[in-house]
Amino acid sequence: MIQVLKFGGSSVANATNISRVLDIVGAASAKGRVMLVCSAIKGCTDSLLALARLAEKQHLTALGMAVSEASSVAPDDEAALQFAEGVRDLKAKHLEIIRRLFTGSERAEAETECHALFAQMASAPAGEMVTWGEVFSTRIIARKLACDGVATKWLDSTILVIKDHKDLTYSNISAAVALEPQVRVFVAPGFIASNYEGGRTTLGRGGSDLSAAIYAAALKADSLQIWTDVPGIMTANPSVVPTARTIPEMSYRAALDMASHGAKVLYAPTVEPAMQAGIAINILNTFDPGNPGTTVRDITLGGWAGITGTKDGTAGESLLCLVGENPPEEDGFARAACARLEACLKKAGIKTLSSSSDGRNVYATVRLAVEDQAVAAIHREFFESVPQSILNLYVAGCGAVGKAFLELLAAKGPELAKRTGKVLRLCGIADSHRFIVDSAGIPPERALAILEGDGGEISPDFASAVKATAPRRSIFVDLTDSETLYREFTGLLREGINIVTSNRRSLAVPYVEYAAIMSAAAENGCFVRYETTVGSALPLLESISRSAAAGEEILGIEAVVSCTLNRILSSYARYPGSFAETVRKAQREGLTEADPRADLAGEDALRKLLIMAREAGVALEASDVEITPAVPAALLDPSIPLEEFYSRMEALEPGFDAEEKAAARSQCRQRFLATLEKDPSSPLGYRASIAVRNVPRNHPAFRILGTENAIILRSAYHPYPLVIQGTGEGAQMAAGSILNDILRG
């Protein structure tokens, strides 16, 4: 058995690291023979290149040994001094390693060899100086192994490895090893080789990896281990993407593509010799030898390997490569991903200069200035799962809004979990007839099939069951029209259960009870959200609360918040028919309460005005609101049968008609307005009213029609009012708004 172990520059950077290497090699040699290939110590190759440039520029190569000692150089020969100092500093680093690894006569012998090698390097042609770094490091390591009693042989790669002559190289290596059957560990410098004419050369920057692969292929090694300072090949550069993770295993082809397009862990040409010989490449971490790292082998995988990029500084661009593991054009996998990649970059605000696919990988060109952001965005899209949290939902009410919410949950739940990381788990559901509580989760489709589908009163037992079983941070969702369910809110909040409600009756309660609910929420770190109670999907309450929270003095609120009354008044003005007929039509269409007199009396508008005022910080009570019903108060007596109510209203048609015509003559329209106006003379500092008013053309409510809602918010900080308007009715919109309240924050 023979194993090839290659260690990079950071792994042999100092005596401490070399000791780690020797421990790893010792463990490997206990299993079989080892071919150890090493790089130069960290920074050495750069130093040698700088020395070579100095030597070539100043023609110092003939100065030989004299130039290697600063004392032998004329003080005014600046270039020669720089060269001599560079040699001296580099030698000092190696001597420091020797002094820490060896003692006594062994240290003296190692130091003598180091001086001799540096003398040879200093006298070498400038073009060959870079080939000595690996010699320095491997001679030290080989000597240390021998001193420790390991049967060791140092092999000269400049003799064995002939660049671009594979067969001769393989023959040289196999023969050299075969001649030394007693040797346990062979040590060879990586990176360096010779050309066919015998001149010293290199295999390219990073070529020590290739050296190891060549030795492994030549020896038909059982394993090839590339030891570095990172835990294998990662899905992205971890200095750019902290969430990058190690790829446990990948194909030769994907590894080659990663290396060819910028990944620094593996030198791209390394893959071919190993792949041809069928030898797996194990990329491991010298500083965490227990980490399994990455195995590159002949394997068929699916999906994506990683994202990397190459810079083009001249063009100011970067070519990013999303490396795929699928066979070329399998089900158009890469082509489909091309559009996905472009979309994720666009979402991140990054312009794609070009994009393409070769059937396996996806490429995108971006400006160099945004390369890191682009890599991070692509990594998020293709390699990062959004951390998931579970939101346990307990839903009361299966009327129109409740049904729409469950349908939305069934249709969009998986997609929302993927996009937001929040898993919406339905753990309880109740209608007026029964309830189900199951902490393991209830499929929304099952709930829809089982429950009756109404929004009536809910048994208090449901709230009790929720309090007894729901974990803290669960969410109780009130989608009923119940006038009593709010009484359970305080108890739920004390158990750490949040509240989301679309039921305005839950909040348009006496202020002391409203305040108790909000206080319980604050004391227990819970939230109560109710945007849907006013304006359905419109952000009316959010706009009011933001202004109030910012310390703005709210001067006034005008709101058209009764969809029913707005529909009735706008239809009466535009279409034939008496006012009574218009109300009856709205009732048939399900737009009114069961008894439309509740709408005409302004009860719904009152609830919404109370909620808006309290959101603005005004402790408004129902008794503080001056209400002028949309029809004479005498018609609103609930003891009057409904048909008689319509007959009496029909008899008043001349009056309704006269009011509408008077509004039209003055170029106004009738709107049912709920208002809150600053009034220092009022005990609360505000005056509240609800009534049908004529609004002129320049009024924002003039153009709203049908079931639209609108709010006109005036504050002391802004010269112009904030106007929000839009559709204020619809179960699906309400369900969507409820979902927003659940997912927000």
Side-chain angles (χ1 to χ4, degrees):
M1 176 181 181
I2 191 159
Q3 311 149 80
V4 177
L5 279 64
K6 178 265 174 180
F7 290 87
S10 59
S11 297
V12 296
N14 51 51
T16 301
N17 292 0
I18 289 175
S19 295
R20 289 192 180 98
V21 169
L22 295 174
D23 289 341
I24 294 168
V25 171
S29 66
K31 302 175 185 176
R33 303 176 84 192
V34 173
M35 171 60 71
L36 174 59
V37 178
C38 293
S39 298
I41 70 170
K42 187 175 183 180
C44 180
T45 300
D46 288 336
S47 296
L48 290 172
L49 287 170
L51 289 172
R53 286 192 295 270
L54 267 175
E56 189 171 44
K57 183 177 181 181
Q58 299 297 330
H59 305 290
L60 296 175
T61 54
L63 294 179
M65 185 64 182
V67 177
S68 70
E69 298 295 339
S71 60
S72 304
V73 179
D76 58 347
D77 193 340
E78 184 178 348
L81 275 172
Q82 288 179 353
F83 182 86
E85 289 172 0
V87 173
R88 183 192 60 198
D89 291 345
L90 189 57
K91 186 197 297 185
K93 292 180 181 178
H94 289 82
L95 288 172
E96 174 61 22
I97 292 172
I98 289 169
R99 289 178 186 127
R100 293 189 60 188
L101 290 177
F102 300 90
T103 59
S105 61
E106 293 174 350
R107 176 189 291 174
E109 291 171 1
E111 289 176 344
T112 299
E113 181 181 35
C114 183
H115 286 298
L117 291 173
F118 267 86
Q120 293 176 51
M121 182 277 295
S123 300
E128 294 184 3
M129 285 184 177
V130 74
T131 66
W132 285 87
E134 283 70 17
V135 175
F136 300 150
S137 62
T138 54
R139 293 295 290 185
I140 293 171
I141 291 169
R143 180 175 288 275
K144 178 60 179 174
L145 284 165
C147 289
D148 289 345
V150 179
T152 306
K153 176 71 175 181
W154 184 82
L155 301 178
D156 189 348
S157 294
T158 60
I159 295 175
L160 301 180
V161 180
I162 313 302
K163 191 172 183 178
D164 300 326
H165 287 78
K166 183 179 77 172
D167 293 342
L168 181 56
T169 296
Y170 285 12
S171 176
N172 289 343
I173 292 171
S174 59
V177 171
L179 287 171
E180 306 285 350
Q182 80 287 356
V183 171
R184 197 65 180 171
V185 178
F186 294 91
V187 182
F191 178 59
I192 62 175
S194 64
N195 54 38
Y196 194 68
E197 292 74 26
R200 294 170 73 100
T201 187
T202 73
L203 299 177
R205 198 69 188 262
S208 290
D209 289 355
L210 176 56
S211 299
I214 289 171
Y215 276 101
L219 297 171
K220 298 181 174 58
D222 296 280
S223 70
L224 169 58
Q225 301 172 18
I226 306 292
W227 291 83
T228 181
D229 57 359
V230 294
I233 300 177
M234 304 187 77
T235 50
N237 183 345
S239 65
V240 174
V241 183
T243 53
R245 62 180 184 272
T246 299
I247 306 165
E249 57 181 356
M250 60 195 309
S251 66
Y252 290 119
R253 173 57 57 186
L256 179 60
D257 287 344
M258 287 282 285
S260 299
H261 292 94
K264 304 298 185 184
V265 179
L266 187 65
Y267 183 48
T270 305
V271 177
E272 186 174 351
M275 182 168 57
Q276 289 179 349
I279 302 170
I281 305 171
N282 299 108
I283 301 170
L284 302 163
N285 188 350
T286 306
F287 306 99
D288 184 14
N291 192 312
T294 299
T295 299
V296 179
R297 61 191 179 95
D298 186 10
I299 189 173
T300 301
L301 297 168
W304 302 102
I307 172 69
T308 187
T310 51
K311 295 176 172 63
D312 183 344
T314 303
E317 297 174 353
S318 176
L319 175 64
L320 307 181
C321 178
L322 176 63
V323 177
E325 281 280 20
N326 285 56
E329 290 301 351
E330 182 177 285
D331 299 325
F333 189 75
R335 285 178 295 168
C338 197
R340 182 181 169 194
L341 182 146
E342 284 190 344
C344 85
L345 290 179
K346 183 178 181 181
K347 184 178 179 181
I350 298 169
K351 181 180 180 181
T352 306
L353 303 178
S354 66
S355 64
S356 62
S357 167
D358 60 9
R360 186 193 308 273
N361 306 324
V362 177
Y363 304 90
T365 304
V366 299
R367 290 184 300 107
L368 196 57
V370 296
E371 178 190 31
D372 289 356
Q373 297 95 310
V375 169
I378 295 170
H379 193 272
R380 281 195 302 272
E381 176 68 21
F382 288 88
F383 298 99
E384 297 178 30
S385 299
V386 179
Q388 291 192 334
S389 59
I390 296 175
L391 301 182
N392 297 307
L393 307 181
Y394 296 82
V395 179
C398 291
V401 174
K403 181 179 178 183
F405 176 74
L406 292 175
E407 290 172 344
L408 185 61
L409 200 59
K412 298 295 184 180
E415 178 185 333
L416 287 169
K418 180 180 178 182
R419 190 171 74 244
T420 68
K422 296 178 180 179
V423 177
L424 303 179
R425 182 164 63 190
L426 182 65
C427 295
I429 185 76
D431 63 13
S432 61
H433 302 283
R434 61 178 298 188
F435 67 84
I436 305 168
V437 173
D438 186 347
S439 59
I442 306 165
E445 303 87 347
R446 175 170 169 253
L448 282 165
I450 291 175
L451 298 177
E452 300 288 336
D454 63 48
E457 290 292 342
I458 303 294
S459 168
D461 292 340
F462 178 55
S464 298
V466 173
K467 285 184 281 187
T469 61
R472 291 184 67 85
R473 317 312 303 163
S474 296
I475 303 174
F476 186 88
V477 186
D478 177 7
L479 305 181
T480 71
D481 288 327
S482 170
E483 295 184 354
T484 60
L485 188 57
Y486 78 92
R487 294 170 184 162
E488 305 294 335
F489 284 6
T490 301
L492 290 164
L493 291 165
R494 287 174 179 161
E495 295 297 327
I497 298 169
N498 300 299
I499 306 290
V500 171
T501 180
S502 64
N503 179 10
R504 60 191 64 95
R505 289 177 170 85
S506 296
L507 299 170
V509 294
Y511 186 80
V512 64
E513 296 183 78
Y514 167 87
I517 293 171
M518 297 306 161
S519 177
E523 290 171 3
N524 294 281
C526 297
F527 60 73
V528 180
R529 294 176 182 159
Y530 44 92
E531 185 67 62
T532 318
T533 58
V534 181
S536 189
L538 298 177
L540 304 184
L541 297 180
E542 181 182 358
S543 301
I544 296 170
S545 64
R546 283 186 175 182
S547 295
E552 293 187 47
E553 181 186 15
I554 294 177
L555 301 178
I557 297 172
E558 287 183 281
V560 177
V561 287
S562 173
C563 299
T564 302
L565 265 295
N566 198 58
R567 171 68 174 271
I568 289 170
L569 290 170
S570 59
S571 295
Y572 181 58
R574 300 175 68 197
Y575 303 111
S578 67
F579 192 78
E581 290 170 345
T582 304
V583 173
R584 190 187 289 274
K585 182 180 179 182
Q587 183 187 12
R588 286 197 301 266
E589 292 175 354
L591 293 175
T592 70
E593 299 283 351
D595 187 337
R597 283 172 286 196
D599 295 290
L600 295 168
E603 292 179 11
D604 188 55
L606 173 62
R607 298 185 190 103
K608 293 176 179 177
L609 181 58
L610 290 174
I611 295 169
M612 287 189 291
R614 291 166 180 179
E615 202 70 8
V618 181
L620 195 69
E621 298 281 12
S623 58
D624 298 320
V625 183
E626 181 184 347
I627 303 176
T628 303
V631 297
L635 293 179
L636 300 177
D637 184 350
S639 65
I640 300 173
L642 198 55
E643 284 304 314
E644 183 179 343
F645 158 73
Y646 276 118
S647 297
R648 292 189 183 186
M649 189 161 52
E650 190 69 54
L652 298 175
E653 176 58 23
F656 293 126
D657 181 61
E659 290 176 1
E660 177 57 39
K661 287 178 178 177
R665 282 195 301 272
S666 59
Q667 296 189 327
C668 293
R669 287 177 177 170
Q670 294 190 96
R671 294 290 181 260
F672 198 59
L673 284 179
T675 63
L676 181 73
E677 295 179 309
K678 189 77 175 175
D679 183 359
S681 65
S682 170
L684 294 174
Y686 287 86
R687 178 166 46 85
S689 63
I690 297 173
V692 176
R693 303 187 189 280
N694 292 341
V695 299
R697 286 183 175 275
N698 61 353
H699 194 282
F702 182 86
R703 289 177 175 78
I704 65 170
L705 300 171
T707 57
E708 288 183 311
N709 279 182
I711 182 174
I712 301 96
L713 177 64
R714 292 180 291 109
S715 70
Y717 290 177
H718 298 286
Y720 301 103
L722 171 66
V723 179
I724 301 173
Q725 70 178 73
T727 302
E729 184 71 25
Q732 289 182 334
M733 286 188 299
S737 186
I738 284 289
L739 195 57
N740 286 335
D741 273 351
I742 290 170
L743 294 172
R744 175 165 53 93

